[in-house]
Amino acid sequence: MRREHIEYKTMAQLRKIRKAALIVNDIHTALRQAAKPGVTTKQLDDVALRVLHDHGAKSNFMGYEGYPAQTCISVNDVIVHGIPGDHVLEPGDILSFDCGCVLNGWHGDAAFTMVLPGGDEAVHERREWLCEVTRRSMWVGIAAMAHGAHVGDIGAAIDDYISGLSPEPGIVEDYVGHGIGTQMHQDPDVPNYRTYDRGAKLKPGMVLCIEPMITAGDQDNFTEPDEWTVRTEDGSDAAHWESEVALTDKGIWVMNLPDGGASELARFGITPVPLGE
Ligand code: MF3
Ligand code: CO
């Protein structure tokens, strides 16, 4: 197996990452507000740009391996890496927003999924369910980072949760979570499924992006000729949630949320530990 090079952060560095991640949270809030039927995904990308600009931050997606936008906006059967453009949103669309920023050299990266009001009632309900189980699977993964011993414990927990659902959704295996810090993508890989290898030991100073991508049907996917847009092969809907989580010797802290994840982690018996000022 390839040797992993993990960047362990000091407390002061973690606090810098938190600043970047909280800007991503502000972008999410603005996008949740602005996303409506009739709006184009490019208009939403511009909303993200404005928030980035207001904070004096830059998108870490723009230019990444030639990526041409501030954010990724993935609609319906698009799993990830949808490029904002002239696509007009419709009632009942399920869409995921993946956003990131770099501030003073430190990276934030987080994603959420939402379902627009309206559309066919049955379709709408199924999409809300997919959004919610994906969100929950992310929190199950985050809880496993707090309780676990190895990076692989995160994917195992997500896998156990998703496999227990009926109908059983697909876990996308071709894309995984990752370490993050002075670059957006760092070691270690963070798979969303159980692997034979338990992976690196969870150690203080690690920052991981935990980001399950879940499909209503089969996980098989293809990339469009634009070389970015990833769609389900069977046309089924997809959802994607991502949080950036720090591990210290005292516990975890969800960087992209002002409460560090406290309200969601309570039901797992976990109290996130602040990083200080
Ligand atoms: N932020 C995505 C991730 O969660 C990657 C986006 S790819 C980019 O890892 F090219 F758009 F930056
Ligand atoms: Co990510």
Side-chain angles (χ1 to χ4, degrees):
M1 220 189 96
R2 183 176 67 91
R3 237 191 109 76
E4 289 183 318
H5 295 279
I6 297 173
E7 179 183 80
Y8 297 95
K9 285 78 172 173
T10 65
M11 289 303 284
Q13 292 170 336
L14 292 179
R15 290 191 285 268
K16 290 184 184 173
I17 295 179
R18 185 183 54 189
K19 278 207 176 106
L22 286 173
I23 294 172
V24 178
N25 186 51
D26 282 353
I27 299 172
H28 284 184
T29 304
L31 289 173
R32 198 180 267 288
Q33 267 273 315
K36 288 185 178 61
V39 169
T40 68
T41 50
K42 171 71 169 84
Q43 286 173 304
L44 296 176
D45 199 57
D46 291 342
V47 168
L49 180 58
R50 169 118 300 266
V51 178
L52 285 161
H53 183 87
D54 288 349
H55 285 285
K58 280 205 157 70
S59 167
N60 42 9
F61 292 16
M62 177 59 102
Y64 180 89
E65 292 180 11
Y67 187 74
Q70 311 292 324
T71 65
C72 298
I73 306 180
S74 303
V75 185
N76 298 339
D77 61 324
V78 179
I79 303 171
V80 283
H81 303 164
I83 304 172
D86 53 15
H87 180 93
V88 180
L89 296 179
E90 288 176 27
D93 276 350
I94 179 169
L95 46 151
S96 66
F97 294 94
D98 192 350
C99 310
C101 83
V102 55
L103 183 74
N104 302 319
W106 294 92
H107 288 255
D109 180 12
F112 74 98
T113 295
M114 68 185 286
V115 183
L116 295 183
D120 176 83
E121 212 173 301
V123 172
H124 188 100
E125 216 168 280
R126 277 208 309 275
R127 287 177 169 169
E128 287 281 11
W129 180 81
L130 181 66
C131 177
E132 184 53 25
V133 298
T134 305
R135 193 180 78 86
R136 260 201 98 104
S137 76
M138 176 187 73
W139 284 106
V140 164
I142 294 171
M145 182 172 169
H147 287 146
H150 291 260
V151 171
D153 297 345
I154 296 166
I158 293 171
D159 202 332
D160 286 347
Y161 171 70
I162 293 292
S163 316
L165 297 170
S166 170
E168 190 180 335
I171 299 177
V172 176
E173 296 188 359
D174 293 337
Y175 301 89
V176 296
H178 51 93
I180 185 167
T182 54
Q183 293 153 314
M184 174 164 60
H185 288 147
Q186 295 183 328
D187 283 340
D189 280 355
V190 185
N192 297 302
Y193 50 91
R194 190 182 291 279
T195 52
Y196 177 71
D197 187 324
R198 288 184 79 194
K201 256 191 145 76
L202 289 165
K203 283 194 200 149
M206 275 186 169
V207 182
L208 302 180
C209 283
I210 299 178
E211 50 174 322
M213 289 145 269
I214 305 295
T215 60
D218 201 89
Q219 63 136 329
D220 289 351
N221 60 81
F222 68 97
T223 305
E224 284 196 354
D226 67 16
E227 292 182 359
W228 286 102
T229 311
V230 179
R231 279 184 201 274
T232 58
E233 195 82 54
D234 62 7
S236 66
D237 294 328
H240 176 208
W241 280 80
E242 173 177 22
S243 276
E244 181 169 355
V245 190
L247 185 63
T248 68
D249 51 6
K250 299 202 171 54
I252 61 164
W253 185 261
V254 180
M255 301 288 219
N256 51 293
L257 294 174
D259 75 347
S263 62
E264 295 287 340
L265 290 167
R267 81 173 107 93
F268 298 97
I270 295 165
T271 308
V273 184
L275 305 171
E277 291 313 311

